[in-house]
């Protein structure tokens, strides 16, 4: 068989564990979703009201600790994208960033579907008033594509999108529903969603002459990036040259590993109840005061999975030991991992990870980084030491945004200064 759902019929207990967990993760969002009006491609939508975002003034202290201060409120525009007509309309509104009157209300465009795979966020026009003219032009034609982690929702990527739009970039936020991942089939819905996104990105590059930056989260976002690269090469090979940078948060693993996949799914199912969400604990101040470090084994600070999590991990590990060896799935994963390992774009790469990550081992990330450097790629990395899986921005906002700013300056904005 070539799908997760088909194999889940054996054994029945695995069906109950995995399917129930997947559905449970979507229940809060199904209960809170409200159907949006179908505006299609109409241009007479009412002015946007009530939407805000934070523009951080981050400060990195000399002793290594981080905090964020001086947040300011301002308006932004977030338009869900679910169809080519809507996307074309967004193209038209994207040019509003070039207006000299940023206070002018920006129309709101919504999809009729409440199950939006990805959204397009327009940049804050005021960002261009603090940049040089040349930099503003580059930013206004750049799209940052955020590829979410397993179980992530649009709301989880919102803070990342707001930071990028506050700097003057277009942003697309893309997430997979947990149910789509659990029911994955080679050539099925998940891959068709990636095909649609890749098609829209290729159209943007062709019509606007813009550039792309990818920001992936965890193994799910990383594999989605590989799938998009594969599809872009088939649709328009020249679009690969428009990729100016890739930021990898909490990944990668360069080979299918049942234990790592089990840890990822367990963390997605249990969310904050998972030990993976805790990361490391700070050591006593009398031992170390400058930074947070991973607790040593036997120190009494290591957290162990609760009984129910350990049981789930055991079931999932056996499950993925079978799943990842299904010929069709194994071949598909191998093809994508080969693209990511040996055929990445010739653009700079930034790897953000943590020694305290309980899902993706730091040694896996560091091993991959070394291989990329040996292959001649421009690679930089930052070990956040103590923050949990895909939680580095929340724990160290100033350091995280500093890394992003420096990377974007080098890979995208160097020529305009």
């Amino acid at each position: 068989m070539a799908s997760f759902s088909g194999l889940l019929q054996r054994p029945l207990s695995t069906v109950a564990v995995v399917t129930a967990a997947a559905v449970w993760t979507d229940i809060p969002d199904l209960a809170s979703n409200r159907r949006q009006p179908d505006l299609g491609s109409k241009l007479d939508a009412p002015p946007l009201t009530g939407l805000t975002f934070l523009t951080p003034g981050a400060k990195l202290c000399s002793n290594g600790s981080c905090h964020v201060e001086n947040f300011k409120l301002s308006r932004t525009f977030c338009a869900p994208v679910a169809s080519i007509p809507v996307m074309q309309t967004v193209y038209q509104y994207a040019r509003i960033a070039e207006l000299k009157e940023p206070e002018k209300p920006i129309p709101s465009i919504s999809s009729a579907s409440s199950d939006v795979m990805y959204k397009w966020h327009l940049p804050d026009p005021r960002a261009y008033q603090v940049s040089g003219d040349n930099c503003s032009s580059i930013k206004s034609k750049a799209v940052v594509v955020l590829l979410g982690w397993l179980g992530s929702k649009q709301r989880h990527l919102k803070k990342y999108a707001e930071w990028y739009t506050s700097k003057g970039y277009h942003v697309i936020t893309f997430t997979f529903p947990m149910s789509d991942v659990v029911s994955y089939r080679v050539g099925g819905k998940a891959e068709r969603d990636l095909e649609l996104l890749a098609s829209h990105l290729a159209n943007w590059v062709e019509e606007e002459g813009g550039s792309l930056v990818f920001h992936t989260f965890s193994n799910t976002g990383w594999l989605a990036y590989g799938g998009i690269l594969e599809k872009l090469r088939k649709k328009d090979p020249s679009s690969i040259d428009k990729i100016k940078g890739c930021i990898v948060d909490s990944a990668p693993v360069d080979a299918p590993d049942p234990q790592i996949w089990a840890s990822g799914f367990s963390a997605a199912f249990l969310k904050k109840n998972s030990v993976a969400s805790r990361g490391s604990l700070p050591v006593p101040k009398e031992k170390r005061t400058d930074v947070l470090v991973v607790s040593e084994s036997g120190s009494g600070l290591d957290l162990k999975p609760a009984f129910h999590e350990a049981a789930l991990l055991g079931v999932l590990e056996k499950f993925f030991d079978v799943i990842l060896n299904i010929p069709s799935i194994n071949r598909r994963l191998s093809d994508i991992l080969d693209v990511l390992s040996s055929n990445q774009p010739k653009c700079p790469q930034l790897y953000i990870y943590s020694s305290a990550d309980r899902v993706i081992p730091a040694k896996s990330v560091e091993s991959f980084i070394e291989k990329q450097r040996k292959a001649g790629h421009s690679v930089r990395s930052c070990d956040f030491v103590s923050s949990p899986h895909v939680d580095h921005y929340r724990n160290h906002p100033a350091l995280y945004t500093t890394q992003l700013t420096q990377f974007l300056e080098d890979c995208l904005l160097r020529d305009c200064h």
Side-chain angles (χ1 to χ4, degrees), residues 88-106:
Q88 292 171 340
T89 306
V90 172
Y91 285 169
Q92 299 172 21
Y93 282 123
R95 296 188 177 90
I96 200 166
E98 301 173 2
L99 296 178
K100 296 182 179 180
E101 299 178 2
E103 295 79 15
K104 200 170 183 177
I106 302 176

Side-chain angles (χ1 to χ4, degrees), residues 88 94 128 227 242 282 375 388:
Q88 292 171 340
Y128 303 132
K242 298 296 185 179

Side-chain angles (χ1 to χ4, degrees), residues 40-79:
S41 59
K42 294 181 180 179
L43 305 183
D44 56 350
L48 193 69
T49 58
L51 294 182
T52 62
F53 70 94
L54 299 175
T55 304
K59 181 180 179 182
L60 181 61
C61 300
S62 58
N63 64 359
S65 61
C66 305
H67 68 273
V68 178
E69 60 186 6
N70 298 331
F71 283 91
K72 298 179 181 179
L73 290 176
S74 57
R75 287 183 296 178
T76 189
F77 169 58
C78 176

Side-chain angles (χ1 to χ4, degrees), residues 120 211 249 254 265 293 317 357 372 374 384 413:
W120 186 288
S211 57
D249 185 320
D254 61 358
F265 271 75
V293 298
E317 188 170 343
D357 194 325
Q372 290 297 293
K374 288 181 178 179
F384 279 68
L413 305 176

Side-chain angles (χ1 to χ4, degrees), residues 126-314:
R126 286 170 291 187
Y128 303 132
Q129 296 178 346
V130 297
S131 299
D133 290 340
N134 200 14
C135 283
S136 297
S137 176
I138 293 174
K139 288 182 177 182
S140 68
K141 294 182 179 180
V143 180
V144 179
V145 185
L146 302 176
L147 303 174
W149 59 91
L150 181 66
S152 64
K153 311 291 184 184
Q154 285 292 328
R155 67 175 185 270
H156 297 136
L157 297 181
K158 183 180 177 182
K159 61 184 178 182
Y160 299 93
E162 288 174 343
W163 184 84
Y164 279 111
T165 57
S166 74
K167 302 301 179 183
Y169 297 100
H170 295 265
V171 177
I172 290 178
T173 50
F174 179 91
T175 59
F176 275 124
M178 179 73 78
S179 56
D180 284 2
V181 179
V182 171
S183 62
Y184 173 80
R185 183 180 298 274
V186 175
K189 182 179 182 299
E191 295 212 27
R192 292 195 299 271
D193 289 338
L194 283 180
E195 182 82 43
L196 180 62
L197 175 57
S199 178
H200 284 168
L201 292 175
N203 290 340
W204 165 267
V205 168
E206 180 181 359
E207 294 180 17
E208 301 295 329
S211 57
L212 301 172
V213 174
F214 285 87
H215 187 152
T216 76
F217 296 89
S218 193
N219 224 27
T220 299
W222 174 245
L223 292 174
Y225 175 53
I228 291 172
L229 289 179
E230 184 183 65
K231 296 177 189 306
L232 284 176
R233 281 196 172 93
K234 292 179 180 178
K235 179 177 177 59
D236 181 10
S238 65
S239 63
I240 296 296
D241 295 332
K242 298 296 185 179
I243 300 176
K244 301 303 182 182
C246 177
I247 301 157
V248 185
D249 185 320
S250 303
V253 176
D254 61 358
D257 186 323
Q259 186 175 8
I260 291 175
W261 280 61
S263 296
F265 271 75
S266 176
F269 291 158
L270 299 178
K271 300 185 184 303
K272 294 301 180 182
N273 293 320
S274 170
V275 70
S277 69
R278 314 292 172 81
S280 65
L281 296 175
V283 296
K285 290 185 178 180
E286 62 269 21
K287 291 182 62 179
R288 190 78 181 273
T289 59
D290 53 345
V291 295
L292 298 180
V293 298
V294 182
S295 59
E296 298 178 357
S297 179
S299 66
L301 295 177
D302 284 330
L303 297 176
K304 301 297 182 183
F307 174 77
H308 68 281
E309 184 172 4
L312 178 60
L313 284 168

Side-chain angles (χ1 to χ4, degrees), residues 339-416:
V339 169
L340 292 167
S341 299
S342 307
N343 204 13
Q344 281 209 54
K346 298 184 183 301
C347 65
Q349 305 169 14
L350 169 63
Y351 293 86
I352 295 173
Y353 65 104
S354 171
S355 298
D357 194 325
R358 298 175 184 267
V359 177
I360 304 292
K363 63 181 181 181
S364 295
V365 179
E366 292 166 350
S367 174
F368 188 86
I369 289 172
E370 186 61 27
K371 292 177 183 177
Q372 290 297 293
R373 284 179 174 151
K374 288 181 178 179
H377 290 284
S378 173
V379 180
R380 65 178 64 184
S381 61
C382 182
D383 181 356
F384 279 68
V385 183
S386 62
S387 47
H389 187 63
V390 292
D391 210 16
H392 316 306
Y393 186 18
R394 186 174 68 87
N395 282 269
H396 307 291
L399 180 58
Y400 195 96
T401 55
T402 297
Q403 289 293 316
L404 296 185
T405 299
Q406 292 175 349
F407 181 73
L408 293 170
E409 289 284 338
D410 291 343
C411 71
L412 197 61
L413 305 176
R414 177 179 305 216
D415 294 338
C416 72

